[in-house]
DNA sequence: CGAATGGTGCTAAATTTTGACACCATTGAA
DNA sequence: TTCAATGGTGTCAAAATTTAGCACCATTCG
C-alpha cells in the first residue's frame, strides 16, 4: 500500500463515516496511528479541509464542501471548456456561472505558463454577444474546428491570412486580411478582420470561410475594433 | 528532489528543448540514466505522449498536443461545468462541444466514487431543451442556486417536497409534490413533478418556487416523465 | 482527577527508490 | 560491414525515504 492509496482510503473512510478517530482510521487502513496523523497533515497540505476535535468524544471530520477532484486536461480541452462556459454565460445567465467560472479559473491557472500565455493572448481576441432573436439560425452551418489552428497562429503571430469567402449571395471571393478579433454569437462565429484592399473592417461568418492560409511574410499591427455595447470580451467572463 | 519534482523537471525540459536524449536529461535533473528512463515510463503511464527514436540522432520528444494541466475542483464546480456545457450544447452547437465533453468526462471520472454516483443519479433527472424563440425572456428571473440542495436531496432520496409556488397570475399556492425531473430551457429551469393532489404532472418554474422543504416521512416511486422529442436527457451530452 | 482524544519529536526498522552494470534492438554514419 | 549513439529492460546492492513505536504535550469531558 503506497502512501497515496492509503490517503485515498482515509478520505473515503472519513467521507463514509462522517467522524472518525485517528485510532479507528489506523485500524481501518492497516497503518500506525503516527502514520495516519502524517497522512492527515499531507491531506491538509493538499487542500483538504479536515476538522478535528481534541478530547474525549473528539475526532476527525472531513468538510463535505471540500470534496475535490483532480483531472489532467489538454490545452485544447481547457480552451473548449472556456469557450463553452463563456458562450453559455452570454446566451443565458445560469445560476451556476459563478461556480463554473471559479472551476475554470482553477484549471486555467494550472496550465503551463507558456501555453497559458498563448491561450490568454488568443482569448483576448475573442468576443461574445447574443444573436438578435429575429434571426433564424435553423439553417446555419457550424464552423469547422479544423480551421482554428490557422486562425490561432494568425492571431498570435499577427500574420496576414488568406481566405476564400462565400458571401450571403453565394459569391466567392479571395481575401488577404488582418485578423483582429473573433466574435461568437452562438451558434455562429465571425472573423472580424481589417481588409487592407477595402480599407475597412469586415465580418466573415466562419462557416463561409474555406482554405485559410497564413501569409508568412506580412505582419500587421493590432487595431481597435469598434464593437457595440452588447458585445463583450470573453476574458472578463473567465476570471 | 522527490520523484514528482524530478518528473516535472523532465517535462519542463522536454517542453523547452523540443528533443532531448536520456543522457542529457539525466545530467540536467541530476539523476542517473536508469532513473530518467523509469520516470519517462511513469509519465507515459500518466498519459503524457512522449515520442522516442532509437539509434544515432535519436532522442525523446514530448508531443506538444499532450501538454496537460491538472486542477483540483470541488464537486459543486464540476456540477456547474457539466450543466453549463450541456446547456450550451442544447442551445447552440459549438465546434468544440466534443472536446469540452471529453474534458468534462475526464473530470467526472476523477470524482470520488460515492460523489460520482450521487452526481450521476442527479444528472439522470436533468433534461435540457430549447425555449421557443417566441418567448420573451428579458424579464424573467434567475433561479436561486441556494434552493438546489433541497431539490438534490429530494431527488436522491425520493422524498416528497413541500414548496410554495407563485403562478403566472401571481396566485400563491402550497404544494406537496414528487420531484421527477428538472428541465433546463436556458435561461429558465423547471421542476417537473407529480402532484398527487391533482393526479398529474406539473411544471414549476424554479424562479417562482420558494421555501422548499423536504418531507421526511413520505417517499415515492419514480414515474416515467412524458417529454417531447426536443427535450433531451443531459447525461447523453456529457459522455 | 483520569481517560480519551488530536498533535509533535525522535529513532531504529522496514520499505522503497536509486544507481550501476550488463545486455538487447535500432539507427545512421564511417 | 562495422561501430558508435541512442532507447529500453532486468537485476541487485546501496542509498534514501517512509513507517512504527514510543514518549510526551494539550485539550476535553465525565
Amino acid at each position: 500500500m503506497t502512501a497515496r492509496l492509503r490517503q485515498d482510503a482515509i478520505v473515503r473512510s472519513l467521507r463514509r463515516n462522517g467522524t472518525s478517530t485517528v485510532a479507528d482510521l489506523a485500524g481501518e487502513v492497516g497503518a500506525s496511528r503516527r502514520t495516519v496523523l502524517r497522512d492527515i497533515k499531507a491531506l491538509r497540505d493538499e487542500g483538504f479541509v479536515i476538522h478535528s476535535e481534541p478530547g474525549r468524544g473528539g475526532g476527525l471530520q472531513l468538510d463535505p464542501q471540500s470534496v475535490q477532484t483532480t483531472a489532467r486536461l489538454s490545452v485544447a480541452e481547457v480552451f473548449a471548456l472556456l469557450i463553452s462556459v463563456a458562450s453559455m454565460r452570454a446566451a443565458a445567465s445560469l445560476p451556476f456561472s459563478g461556480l463554473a467560472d471559479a472551476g475554470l479559473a482553477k484549471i486555467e491557472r494550472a496550465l503551463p505558463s507558456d501555453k497559458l500565455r498563448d491561450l490568454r493572448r488568443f482569448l483576448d481576441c475573442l468576443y461574445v454577444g447574443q444573436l438578435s432573436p429575429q434571426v433564424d439560425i435553423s439553417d446555419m452551418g457550424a464552423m469547422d474546428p479544423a480551421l482554428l489552428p490557422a486562425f490561432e497562429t494568425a492571431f498570435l503571430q499577427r500574420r496576414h491570412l488568406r481566405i476564400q469567402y462565400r458571401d450571403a449571395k453565394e459569391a466567392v471571393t479571395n481575401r488577404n486580411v488582418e485578423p483582429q478579433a473573433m466574435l461568437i454569437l452562438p451558434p455562429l462565429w465571425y472573423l472580424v478582420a481589417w481588409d487592407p484592399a477595402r480599407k475597412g473592417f469586415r465580418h466573415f461568418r466562419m462557416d463561409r470561410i474555406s482554405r485559410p492560409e497564413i501569409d508568412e511574410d506580412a505582419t500587421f499591427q493590432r487595431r481597435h475594433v469598434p464593437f457595440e455595447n452588447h458585445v463583450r470580451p470573453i476574458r472578463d467572463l473567465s476570471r
Side-chain angles (χ1 to χ4, degrees), chain A:
Chain A
M1 172 93 80
T2 71
R4 175 62 192 265
L5 290 176
R6 196 178 53 237
Q7 287 167 19
D8 287 349
I10 290 173
V11 170
R12 275 197 304 276
S13 174
L14 281 175
R15 211 177 273 145
R16 190 171 54 246
N17 300 334
T19 305
S20 294
T21 67
V22 174
D24 288 349
L25 287 172
E28 203 164 333
V29 303
S32 70
R33 184 171 163 276
R34 187 68 186 85
T35 299
V36 169
L37 278 162
R38 262 189 294 253
D39 285 338
I40 294 289
K41 181 173 185 316
L43 287 169
R44 283 172 168 159
D45 287 346
E46 279 185 52
F48 282 88
V49 179
I50 298 173
H51 306 290
S52 61
E53 279 296 327
R56 201 161 186 161
L60 299 172
Q61 196 172 13
L62 178 63
D63 188 318
Q65 296 304 311
S66 81
V67 175
Q68 293 174 332
T69 181
T70 68
R72 201 180 271 276
L73 302 178
S74 73
V75 170
E77 287 164 342
V78 174
F79 181 79
L81 284 172
L82 279 166
I83 303 293
S84 293
V85 172
S87 309
M88 190 67 238
R89 257 192 108 169
S93 64
L94 280 181
F96 311 103
S97 42
L99 270 176
D101 284 348
L104 275 180
K106 282 186 191 171
I107 293 175
E108 206 185 326
R109 274 200 302 277
L111 281 177
S113 60
D114 52 341
K115 280 287 160 186
L116 182 56
R117 201 188 51 237
D118 279 359
L119 179 67
R120 290 212 166 125
R121 280 175 56 199
F122 188 50
L123 285 175
D124 284 341
C125 300
L126 292 178
Y127 293 80
V128 284
Q130 212 171 340
L131 264 191
S132 77
Q134 290 85 18
V135 179
D136 177 19
I137 58 169
S138 54
D139 65 337
M140 292 183 177
M143 76 171 272
D144 180 3
L147 299 179
L148 257 197
F151 288 94
E152 192 174 337
T153 307
F155 276 112
L156 292 181
Q157 300 177 4
R158 292 201 296 273
R159 302 281 182 193
H160 281 222
L161 194 67
R162 280 191 294 269
I163 58 173
Q164 202 173 72
Y165 193 67
R166 182 171 47 82
D167 68 14
K169 294 167 193 144
E170 300 294 322
V172 174
T173 51
N174 287 298
R175 316 269 186 139
N176 196 327
V177 298
E178 306 173 356
Q180 300 288 343
M182 302 272 270
L183 176 59
I184 307 172
L185 302 177
L188 294 180
W189 283 52
Y190 293 88
L191 168 68
V192 183
W194 178 265
D195 189 331
R198 289 163 183 79
K199 292 214 179 349
F201 283 104
R202 292 289 184 276
H203 287 60
F204 302 100
R205 244 176 68 182
M206 295 284 281
D207 57 319
R208 297 179 167 282
I209 296 177
S210 54
R211 297 200 291 177
E213 273 173 35
I214 292 161
D215 189 332
E216 293 292 350
D217 306 320
T219 64
F220 61 86
Q221 292 304 306
R222 290 240 188 287
R223 293 166 187 273
H224 175 71
V225 184
F227 274 131
E228 296 87 350
N229 285 338
H230 58 272
V231 171
R232 293 176 301 179
I234 217 169
R235 280 296 297 160
D236 284 359
L237 302 173
S238 54
R239 271 197 208 110

